[in-house]
Structures are given as structure tokens and as C-alpha cells.
PDB file of all heavy atoms in Angstrom:
ATOM      1  N   ALA A   1      -0.180  -4.082 -10.794  1.00 96.00           N
ATOM      2  CA  ALA A   1       0.991  -3.750  -9.986  1.00 96.00           C
ATOM      3  C   ALA A   1       2.263  -3.846 -10.820  1.00 96.00           C
ATOM      4  O   ALA A   1       2.439  -4.786 -11.588  1.00 96.00           O
ATOM      5  CB  ALA A   1       1.080  -4.679  -8.781  1.00 96.00           C
ATOM      6  N   GLY A   2       3.119  -2.863 -10.666  1.00 96.00           N
ATOM      7  CA  GLY A   2       4.387  -2.824 -11.390  1.00 96.00           C
ATOM      8  C   GLY A   2       4.338  -2.056 -12.696  1.00 96.00           C
ATOM      9  O   GLY A   2       5.369  -1.837 -13.322  1.00 96.00           O
ATOM     10  N   ASP A   3       3.143  -1.631 -13.107  1.00 96.00           N
ATOM     11  CA  ASP A   3       3.017  -0.907 -14.377  1.00 96.00           C
ATOM     12  C   ASP A   3       3.479   0.535 -14.248  1.00 96.00           C
ATOM     13  O   ASP A   3       3.257   1.185 -13.230  1.00 96.00           O
ATOM     14  CB  ASP A   3       1.563  -0.901 -14.866  1.00 96.00           C
ATOM     15  CG  ASP A   3       1.170  -2.192 -15.559  1.00 96.00           C
ATOM     16  OD1 ASP A   3       2.074  -2.962 -15.956  1.00 96.00           O
ATOM     17  OD2 ASP A   3      -0.040  -2.428 -15.699  1.00 96.00           O
ATOM     18  N   VAL A   4       4.073   1.015 -15.320  1.00 97.00           N
ATOM     19  CA  VAL A   4       4.425   2.427 -15.460  1.00 97.00           C
ATOM     20  C   VAL A   4       3.781   2.910 -16.747  1.00 97.00           C
ATOM     21  O   VAL A   4       3.913   2.269 -17.799  1.00 97.00           O
ATOM     22  CB  VAL A   4       5.952   2.638 -15.503  1.00 97.00           C
ATOM     23  CG1 VAL A   4       6.291   4.093 -15.780  1.00 97.00           C
ATOM     24  CG2 VAL A   4       6.591   2.185 -14.199  1.00 97.00           C
ATOM     25  N   ILE A   5       3.077   4.030 -16.651  1.00 97.00           N
ATOM     26  CA  ILE A   5       2.424   4.631 -17.814  1.00 97.00           C
ATOM     27  C   ILE A   5       3.079   5.981 -18.050  1.00 97.00           C
ATOM     28  O   ILE A   5       3.050   6.859 -17.184  1.00 97.00           O
ATOM     29  CB  ILE A   5       0.901   4.774 -17.588  1.00 97.00           C
ATOM     30  CG1 ILE A   5       0.299   3.395 -17.321  1.00 97.00           C
ATOM     31  CG2 ILE A   5       0.250   5.448 -18.789  1.00 97.00           C
ATOM     32  CD1 ILE A   5      -1.145   3.421 -16.861  1.00 97.00           C
ATOM     33  N   LEU A   6       3.706   6.126 -19.200  1.00 97.00           N
ATOM     34  CA  LEU A   6       4.442   7.328 -19.562  1.00 97.00           C
ATOM     35  C   LEU A   6       3.530   8.245 -20.361  1.00 97.00           C
ATOM     36  O   LEU A   6       3.092   7.884 -21.454  1.00 97.00           O
ATOM     37  CB  LEU A   6       5.670   6.950 -20.400  1.00 97.00           C
ATOM     38  CG  LEU A   6       6.573   5.866 -19.804  1.00 97.00           C
ATOM     39  CD1 LEU A   6       7.638   5.455 -20.811  1.00 97.00           C
ATOM     40  CD2 LEU A   6       7.183   6.344 -18.502  1.00 97.00           C
ATOM     41  N   LEU A   7       3.225   9.414 -19.813  1.00 97.00           N
ATOM     42  CA  LEU A   7       2.303  10.353 -20.452  1.00 97.00           C
ATOM     43  C   LEU A   7       3.109  11.465 -21.109  1.00 97.00           C
ATOM     44  O   LEU A   7       3.582  12.381 -20.445  1.00 97.00           O
ATOM     45  CB  LEU A   7       1.335  10.916 -19.405  1.00 97.00           C
ATOM     46  CG  LEU A   7       0.491   9.870 -18.672  1.00 97.00           C
ATOM     47  CD1 LEU A   7      -0.286  10.503 -17.531  1.00 97.00           C
ATOM     48  CD2 LEU A   7      -0.435   9.161 -19.642  1.00 97.00           C
ATOM     49  N   GLY A   8       3.270  11.374 -22.417  1.00 96.00           N
ATOM     50  CA  GLY A   8       4.059  12.345 -23.160  1.00 96.00           C
ATOM     51  C   GLY A   8       3.195  13.285 -23.971  1.00 96.00           C
ATOM     52  O   GLY A   8       2.017  13.033 -24.209  1.00 96.00           O
ATOM     53  N   GLY A   9       3.807  14.369 -24.382  1.00 94.00           N
ATOM     54  CA  GLY A   9       3.127  15.365 -25.202  1.00 94.00           C
ATOM     55  C   GLY A   9       3.458  16.749 -24.704  1.00 94.00           C
ATOM     56  O   GLY A   9       3.972  16.917 -23.595  1.00 94.00           O
ATOM     57  N   PRO A  10       3.153  17.754 -25.507  1.00 93.00           N
ATOM     58  CA  PRO A  10       3.481  19.126 -25.121  1.00 93.00           C
ATOM     59  C   PRO A  10       2.587  19.636 -23.993  1.00 93.00           C
ATOM     60  O   PRO A  10       1.575  19.007 -23.641  1.00 93.00           O
ATOM     61  CB  PRO A  10       3.238  19.920 -26.404  1.00 93.00           C
ATOM     62  CG  PRO A  10       2.221  19.128 -27.155  1.00 93.00           C
ATOM     63  CD  PRO A  10       2.505  17.692 -26.823  1.00 93.00           C
ATOM     64  N   TYR A  11       2.956  20.766 -23.452  1.00 91.00           N
ATOM     65  CA  TYR A  11       2.153  21.428 -22.429  1.00 91.00           C
ATOM     66  C   TYR A  11       0.739  21.630 -22.965  1.00 91.00           C
ATOM     67  O   TYR A  11       0.548  22.058 -24.106  1.00 91.00           O
ATOM     68  CB  TYR A  11       2.791  22.776 -22.070  1.00 91.00           C
ATOM     69  CG  TYR A  11       2.033  23.525 -21.015  1.00 91.00           C
ATOM     70  CD1 TYR A  11       2.157  23.176 -19.679  1.00 91.00           C
ATOM     71  CD2 TYR A  11       1.168  24.551 -21.353  1.00 91.00           C
ATOM     72  CE1 TYR A  11       1.449  23.845 -18.705  1.00 91.00           C
ATOM     73  CE2 TYR A  11       0.453  25.232 -20.381  1.00 91.00           C
ATOM     74  CZ  TYR A  11       0.601  24.871 -19.061  1.00 91.00           C
ATOM     75  OH  TYR A  11      -0.116  25.534 -18.097  1.00 91.00           O
ATOM     76  N   GLY A  12      -0.263  21.285 -22.178  1.00 88.00           N
ATOM     77  CA  GLY A  12      -1.653  21.469 -22.583  1.00 88.00           C
ATOM     78  C   GLY A  12      -2.214  20.359 -23.459  1.00 88.00           C
ATOM     79  O   GLY A  12      -3.333  20.477 -23.963  1.00 88.00           O
ATOM     80  N   ALA A  13      -1.488  19.269 -23.623  1.00 91.00           N
ATOM     81  CA  ALA A  13      -1.943  18.193 -24.506  1.00 91.00           C
ATOM     82  C   ALA A  13      -3.011  17.310 -23.872  1.00 91.00           C
ATOM     83  O   ALA A  13      -3.689  16.571 -24.568  1.00 91.00           O
ATOM     84  CB  ALA A  13      -0.760  17.325 -24.931  1.00 91.00           C
ATOM     85  N   GLY A  14      -3.162  17.372 -22.540  1.00 91.00           N
ATOM     86  CA  GLY A  14      -4.164  16.559 -21.874  1.00 91.00           C
ATOM     87  C   GLY A  14      -3.591  15.459 -20.995  1.00 91.00           C
ATOM     88  O   GLY A  14      -4.317  14.549 -20.593  1.00 91.00           O
ATOM     89  N   LYS A  15      -2.307  15.545 -20.673  1.00 94.00           N
ATOM     90  CA  LYS A  15      -1.675  14.518 -19.837  1.00 94.00           C
ATOM     91  C   LYS A  15      -2.328  14.427 -18.458  1.00 94.00           C
ATOM     92  O   LYS A  15      -2.657  13.331 -17.994  1.00 94.00           O
ATOM     93  CB  LYS A  15      -0.170  14.808 -19.694  1.00 94.00           C
ATOM     94  CG  LYS A  15       0.600  14.764 -21.009  1.00 94.00           C
ATOM     95  CD  LYS A  15       2.071  15.076 -20.825  1.00 94.00           C
ATOM     96  CE  LYS A  15       2.374  16.477 -20.373  1.00 94.00           C
ATOM     97  NZ  LYS A  15       2.078  17.522 -21.359  1.00 94.00           N
ATOM     98  N   THR A  16      -2.520  15.572 -17.816  1.00 94.00           N
ATOM     99  CA  THR A  16      -3.122  15.560 -16.479  1.00 94.00           C
ATOM    100  C   THR A  16      -4.585  15.137 -16.547  1.00 94.00           C
ATOM    101  O   THR A  16      -5.064  14.408 -15.680  1.00 94.00           O
ATOM    102  CB  THR A  16      -2.974  16.939 -15.804  1.00 94.00           C
ATOM    103  OG1 THR A  16      -1.580  17.251 -15.711  1.00 94.00           O
ATOM    104  CG2 THR A  16      -3.579  16.951 -14.414  1.00 94.00           C
ATOM    105  N   ALA A  17      -5.307  15.537 -17.574  1.00 94.00           N
ATOM    106  CA  ALA A  17      -6.705  15.117 -17.729  1.00 94.00           C
ATOM    107  C   ALA A  17      -6.797  13.599 -17.873  1.00 94.00           C
ATOM    108  O   ALA A  17      -7.682  12.964 -17.278  1.00 94.00           O
ATOM    109  CB  ALA A  17      -7.348  15.809 -18.927  1.00 94.00           C
ATOM    110  N   LEU A  18      -5.883  13.013 -18.623  1.00 96.00           N
ATOM    111  CA  LEU A  18      -5.877  11.560 -18.787  1.00 96.00           C
ATOM    112  C   LEU A  18      -5.523  10.886 -17.460  1.00 96.00           C
ATOM    113  O   LEU A  18      -6.172   9.913 -17.053  1.00 96.00           O
ATOM    114  CB  LEU A  18      -4.904  11.144 -19.882  1.00 96.00           C
ATOM    115  CG  LEU A  18      -4.856   9.653 -20.183  1.00 96.00           C
ATOM    116  CD1 LEU A  18      -6.198   9.154 -20.688  1.00 96.00           C
ATOM    117  CD2 LEU A  18      -3.774   9.363 -21.204  1.00 96.00           C
ATOM    118  N   ALA A  19      -4.521  11.402 -16.761  1.00 97.00           N
ATOM    119  CA  ALA A  19      -4.144  10.852 -15.456  1.00 97.00           C
ATOM    120  C   ALA A  19      -5.302  10.966 -14.465  1.00 97.00           C
ATOM    121  O   ALA A  19      -5.583  10.025 -13.705  1.00 97.00           O
ATOM    122  CB  ALA A  19      -2.908  11.562 -14.914  1.00 97.00           C
ATOM    123  N   ARG A  20      -5.985  12.095 -14.458  1.00 96.00           N
ATOM    124  CA  ARG A  20      -7.125  12.306 -13.551  1.00 96.00           C
ATOM    125  C   ARG A  20      -8.210  11.258 -13.822  1.00 96.00           C
ATOM    126  O   ARG A  20      -8.750  10.649 -12.884  1.00 96.00           O
ATOM    127  CB  ARG A  20      -7.670  13.720 -13.750  1.00 96.00           C
ATOM    128  CG  ARG A  20      -8.773  14.113 -12.804  1.00 96.00           C
ATOM    129  CD  ARG A  20      -9.137  15.589 -12.961  1.00 96.00           C
ATOM    130  NE  ARG A  20      -8.021  16.421 -12.520  1.00 96.00           N
ATOM    131  CZ  ARG A  20      -7.386  17.318 -13.291  1.00 96.00           C
ATOM    132  NH1 ARG A  20      -7.781  17.531 -14.530  1.00 96.00           N
ATOM    133  NH2 ARG A  20      -6.389  18.018 -12.801  1.00 96.00           N
ATOM    134  N   ALA A  21      -8.536  11.033 -15.084  1.00 97.00           N
ATOM    135  CA  ALA A  21      -9.554  10.034 -15.435  1.00 97.00           C
ATOM    136  C   ALA A  21      -9.109   8.635 -15.029  1.00 97.00           C
ATOM    137  O   ALA A  21      -9.907   7.840 -14.515  1.00 97.00           O
ATOM    138  CB  ALA A  21      -9.841  10.094 -16.928  1.00 97.00           C
ATOM    139  N   PHE A  22      -7.842   8.328 -15.250  1.00 97.00           N
ATOM    140  CA  PHE A  22      -7.291   7.036 -14.853  1.00 97.00           C
ATOM    141  C   PHE A  22      -7.458   6.842 -13.348  1.00 97.00           C
ATOM    142  O   PHE A  22      -7.942   5.810 -12.888  1.00 97.00           O
ATOM    143  CB  PHE A  22      -5.809   6.966 -15.243  1.00 97.00           C
ATOM    144  CG  PHE A  22      -5.133   5.690 -14.834  1.00 97.00           C
ATOM    145  CD1 PHE A  22      -4.938   4.678 -15.752  1.00 97.00           C
ATOM    146  CD2 PHE A  22      -4.683   5.495 -13.530  1.00 97.00           C
ATOM    147  CE1 PHE A  22      -4.313   3.485 -15.375  1.00 97.00           C
ATOM    148  CE2 PHE A  22      -4.061   4.317 -13.146  1.00 97.00           C
ATOM    149  CZ  PHE A  22      -3.879   3.309 -14.070  1.00 97.00           C
ATOM    150  N   LEU A  23      -7.044   7.826 -12.569  1.00 98.00           N
ATOM    151  CA  LEU A  23      -7.073   7.710 -11.110  1.00 98.00           C
ATOM    152  C   LEU A  23      -8.491   7.644 -10.566  1.00 98.00           C
ATOM    153  O   LEU A  23      -8.761   6.890  -9.621  1.00 98.00           O
ATOM    154  CB  LEU A  23      -6.290   8.859 -10.484  1.00 98.00           C
ATOM    155  CG  LEU A  23      -4.778   8.767 -10.735  1.00 98.00           C
ATOM    156  CD1 LEU A  23      -4.103  10.097 -10.465  1.00 98.00           C
ATOM    157  CD2 LEU A  23      -4.171   7.640  -9.917  1.00 98.00           C
ATOM    158  N   ARG A  24      -9.403   8.393 -11.155  1.00 97.00           N
ATOM    159  CA  ARG A  24     -10.800   8.319 -10.710  1.00 97.00           C
ATOM    160  C   ARG A  24     -11.367   6.930 -10.967  1.00 97.00           C
ATOM    161  O   ARG A  24     -12.069   6.367 -10.125  1.00 97.00           O
ATOM    162  CB  ARG A  24     -11.629   9.396 -11.391  1.00 97.00           C
ATOM    163  CG  ARG A  24     -11.351  10.779 -10.829  1.00 97.00           C
ATOM    164  CD  ARG A  24     -12.097  11.869 -11.540  1.00 97.00           C
ATOM    165  NE  ARG A  24     -11.872  13.143 -10.858  1.00 97.00           N
ATOM    166  CZ  ARG A  24     -12.138  14.318 -11.408  1.00 97.00           C
ATOM    167  NH1 ARG A  24     -12.659  14.395 -12.620  1.00 97.00           N
ATOM    168  NH2 ARG A  24     -11.890  15.417 -10.713  1.00 97.00           N
ATOM    169  N   ALA A  25     -11.056   6.368 -12.130  1.00 97.00           N
ATOM    170  CA  ALA A  25     -11.536   5.023 -12.452  1.00 97.00           C
ATOM    171  C   ALA A  25     -10.855   3.973 -11.575  1.00 97.00           C
ATOM    172  O   ALA A  25     -11.509   3.065 -11.054  1.00 97.00           O
ATOM    173  CB  ALA A  25     -11.303   4.721 -13.927  1.00 97.00           C
ATOM    174  N   ALA A  26      -9.560   4.105 -11.377  1.00 97.00           N
ATOM    175  CA  ALA A  26      -8.803   3.115 -10.606  1.00 97.00           C
ATOM    176  C   ALA A  26      -9.209   3.089  -9.137  1.00 97.00           C
ATOM    177  O   ALA A  26      -9.220   2.032  -8.510  1.00 97.00           O
ATOM    178  CB  ALA A  26      -7.303   3.384 -10.737  1.00 97.00           C
ATOM    179  N   THR A  27      -9.560   4.254  -8.591  1.00 97.00           N
ATOM    180  CA  THR A  27      -9.980   4.313  -7.184  1.00 97.00           C
ATOM    181  C   THR A  27     -11.464   4.002  -7.021  1.00 97.00           C
ATOM    182  O   THR A  27     -11.916   3.740  -5.907  1.00 97.00           O
ATOM    183  CB  THR A  27      -9.718   5.703  -6.571  1.00 97.00           C
ATOM    184  OG1 THR A  27     -10.469   6.685  -7.289  1.00 97.00           O
ATOM    185  CG2 THR A  27      -8.236   6.046  -6.566  1.00 97.00           C
ATOM    186  N   GLY A  28     -12.208   4.082  -8.111  1.00 96.00           N
ATOM    187  CA  GLY A  28     -13.655   3.896  -8.036  1.00 96.00           C
ATOM    188  C   GLY A  28     -14.372   5.119  -7.507  1.00 96.00           C
ATOM    189  O   GLY A  28     -15.526   5.039  -7.116  1.00 96.00           O
ATOM    190  N   ASP A  29     -13.701   6.262  -7.516  1.00 96.00           N
ATOM    191  CA  ASP A  29     -14.270   7.503  -6.996  1.00 96.00           C
ATOM    192  C   ASP A  29     -14.340   8.548  -8.105  1.00 96.00           C
ATOM    193  O   ASP A  29     -13.359   9.229  -8.382  1.00 96.00           O
ATOM    194  CB  ASP A  29     -13.417   8.022  -5.838  1.00 96.00           C
ATOM    195  CG  ASP A  29     -13.975   9.293  -5.206  1.00 96.00           C
ATOM    196  OD1 ASP A  29     -14.966   9.849  -5.721  1.00 96.00           O
ATOM    197  OD2 ASP A  29     -13.400   9.732  -4.193  1.00 96.00           O
ATOM    198  N   PRO A  30     -15.494   8.695  -8.779  1.00 95.00           N
ATOM    199  CA  PRO A  30     -15.598   9.633  -9.891  1.00 95.00           C
ATOM    200  C   PRO A  30     -15.451  11.102  -9.494  1.00 95.00           C
ATOM    201  O   PRO A  30     -15.251  11.960 -10.349  1.00 95.00           O
ATOM    202  CB  PRO A  30     -16.994   9.365 -10.464  1.00 95.00           C
ATOM    203  CG  PRO A  30     -17.751   8.710  -9.363  1.00 95.00           C
ATOM    204  CD  PRO A  30     -16.741   7.984  -8.522  1.00 95.00           C
ATOM    205  N   MET A  31     -15.529  11.390  -8.196  1.00 94.00           N
ATOM    206  CA  MET A  31     -15.379  12.770  -7.725  1.00 94.00           C
ATOM    207  C   MET A  31     -14.015  13.015  -7.076  1.00 94.00           C
ATOM    208  O   MET A  31     -13.784  14.080  -6.508  1.00 94.00           O
ATOM    209  CB  MET A  31     -16.493  13.098  -6.718  1.00 94.00           C
ATOM    210  CG  MET A  31     -17.903  12.937  -7.290  1.00 94.00           C
ATOM    211  SD  MET A  31     -18.164  13.834  -8.844  1.00 94.00           S
ATOM    212  CE  MET A  31     -18.106  15.497  -8.264  1.00 94.00           C
ATOM    213  N   LEU A  32     -13.113  12.053  -7.173  1.00 94.00           N
ATOM    214  CA  LEU A  32     -11.800  12.183  -6.564  1.00 94.00           C
ATOM    215  C   LEU A  32     -11.106  13.463  -7.021  1.00 94.00           C
ATOM    216  O   LEU A  32     -11.071  13.765  -8.215  1.00 94.00           O
ATOM    217  CB  LEU A  32     -10.933  10.979  -6.941  1.00 94.00           C
ATOM    218  CG  LEU A  32      -9.515  10.950  -6.375  1.00 94.00           C
ATOM    219  CD1 LEU A  32      -9.556  10.694  -4.868  1.00 94.00           C
ATOM    220  CD2 LEU A  32      -8.704   9.863  -7.075  1.00 94.00           C
ATOM    221  N   VAL A  33     -10.602  14.215  -6.071  1.00 94.00           N
ATOM    222  CA  VAL A  33      -9.837  15.425  -6.392  1.00 94.00           C
ATOM    223  C   VAL A  33      -8.436  14.986  -6.784  1.00 94.00           C
ATOM    224  O   VAL A  33      -7.733  14.340  -5.995  1.00 94.00           O
ATOM    225  CB  VAL A  33      -9.796  16.391  -5.188  1.00 94.00           C
ATOM    226  CG1 VAL A  33      -8.911  17.585  -5.492  1.00 94.00           C
ATOM    227  CG2 VAL A  33     -11.208  16.835  -4.832  1.00 94.00           C
ATOM    228  N   VAL A  34      -8.048  15.309  -8.017  1.00 94.00           N
ATOM    229  CA  VAL A  34      -6.740  14.920  -8.540  1.00 94.00           C
ATOM    230  C   VAL A  34      -6.044  16.186  -9.038  1.00 94.00           C
ATOM    231  O   VAL A  34      -6.167  16.562 -10.205  1.00 94.00           O
ATOM    232  CB  VAL A  34      -6.873  13.892  -9.689  1.00 94.00           C
ATOM    233  CG1 VAL A  34      -5.487  13.486 -10.205  1.00 94.00           C
ATOM    234  CG2 VAL A  34      -7.653  12.669  -9.241  1.00 94.00           C
ATOM    235  N   PRO A  35      -5.309  16.844  -8.151  1.00 88.00           N
ATOM    236  CA  PRO A  35      -4.594  18.044  -8.587  1.00 88.00           C
ATOM    237  C   PRO A  35      -3.384  17.670  -9.436  1.00 88.00           C
ATOM    238  O   PRO A  35      -2.854  16.561  -9.324  1.00 88.00           O
ATOM    239  CB  PRO A  35      -4.157  18.684  -7.271  1.00 88.00           C
ATOM    240  CG  PRO A  35      -4.017  17.540  -6.336  1.00 88.00           C
ATOM    241  CD  PRO A  35      -5.085  16.546  -6.746  1.00 88.00           C
ATOM    242  N   SER A  36      -2.961  18.594 -10.254  1.00 89.00           N
ATOM    243  CA  SER A  36      -1.726  18.384 -11.000  1.00 89.00           C
ATOM    244  C   SER A  36      -0.568  18.376 -10.016  1.00 89.00           C
ATOM    245  O   SER A  36      -0.475  19.246  -9.157  1.00 89.00           O
ATOM    246  CB  SER A  36      -1.522  19.505 -12.015  1.00 89.00           C
ATOM    247  OG  SER A  36      -0.228  19.400 -12.586  1.00 89.00           O
ATOM    248  N   PRO A  37       0.338  17.413 -10.126  1.00 86.00           N
ATOM    249  CA  PRO A  37       1.493  17.398  -9.227  1.00 86.00           C
ATOM    250  C   PRO A  37       2.645  18.281  -9.719  1.00 86.00           C
ATOM    251  O   PRO A  37       3.800  18.020  -9.427  1.00 86.00           O
ATOM    252  CB  PRO A  37       1.882  15.914  -9.196  1.00 86.00           C
ATOM    253  CG  PRO A  37       1.435  15.389 -10.511  1.00 86.00           C
ATOM    254  CD  PRO A  37       0.215  16.193 -10.896  1.00 86.00           C
ATOM    255  N   SER A  38       2.312  19.345 -10.430  1.00 87.00           N
ATOM    256  CA  SER A  38       3.346  20.222 -10.990  1.00 87.00           C
ATOM    257  C   SER A  38       4.290  20.775  -9.934  1.00 87.00           C
ATOM    258  O   SER A  38       5.484  20.907 -10.184  1.00 87.00           O
ATOM    259  CB  SER A  38       2.717  21.399 -11.738  1.00 87.00           C
ATOM    260  OG  SER A  38       2.027  20.942 -12.860  1.00 87.00           O
ATOM    261  N   PHE A  39       3.756  21.112  -8.758  1.00 86.00           N
ATOM    262  CA  PHE A  39       4.603  21.714  -7.731  1.00 86.00           C
ATOM    263  C   PHE A  39       5.073  20.703  -6.692  1.00 86.00           C
ATOM    264  O   PHE A  39       6.165  20.819  -6.161  1.00 86.00           O
ATOM    265  CB  PHE A  39       3.884  22.894  -7.075  1.00 86.00           C
ATOM    266  CG  PHE A  39       3.680  24.010  -8.058  1.00 86.00           C
ATOM    267  CD1 PHE A  39       2.447  24.213  -8.650  1.00 86.00           C
ATOM    268  CD2 PHE A  39       4.736  24.824  -8.438  1.00 86.00           C
ATOM    269  CE1 PHE A  39       2.261  25.216  -9.587  1.00 86.00           C
ATOM    270  CE2 PHE A  39       4.565  25.824  -9.377  1.00 86.00           C
ATOM    271  CZ  PHE A  39       3.323  26.028  -9.947  1.00 86.00           C
TER     272      PHE A  39
END
């Protein structure tokens, strides 16, 4: 709790893929749908 993880890098570097893996692991749901929050 209280952590902030800053995901930097150019477009297509894998920021969303890393966030998706983090969230699936953190929720304990390997099939969790994690869309990009671009919009």
C-alpha cells in the first residue's frame, strides 16, 4: 500500500504488458482482462 510504480519507455516498449502481468499476479487471476487505459 502506498507504492507508485513509474513505467517509462517509448511507445511499444512493453509498459502495458508489464502492468498487465503485475495486475494478474497481484489479483491472483492469471486470466484477468487488463485493457490498456489509453482512452
Side-chain angles (χ1 to χ4, degrees):
D3 280 343
V4 175
I5 301 171
L6 309 172
L7 301 172
Y11 180 79
K15 297 179 294 292
T16 301
L18 182 62
R20 185 173 293 121
F22 178 100
L23 291 163
R24 286 177 175 164
T27 61
D29 182 354
M31 301 308 291
L32 180 71
V33 175
V34 181
S36 171
S38 294
F39 294 102

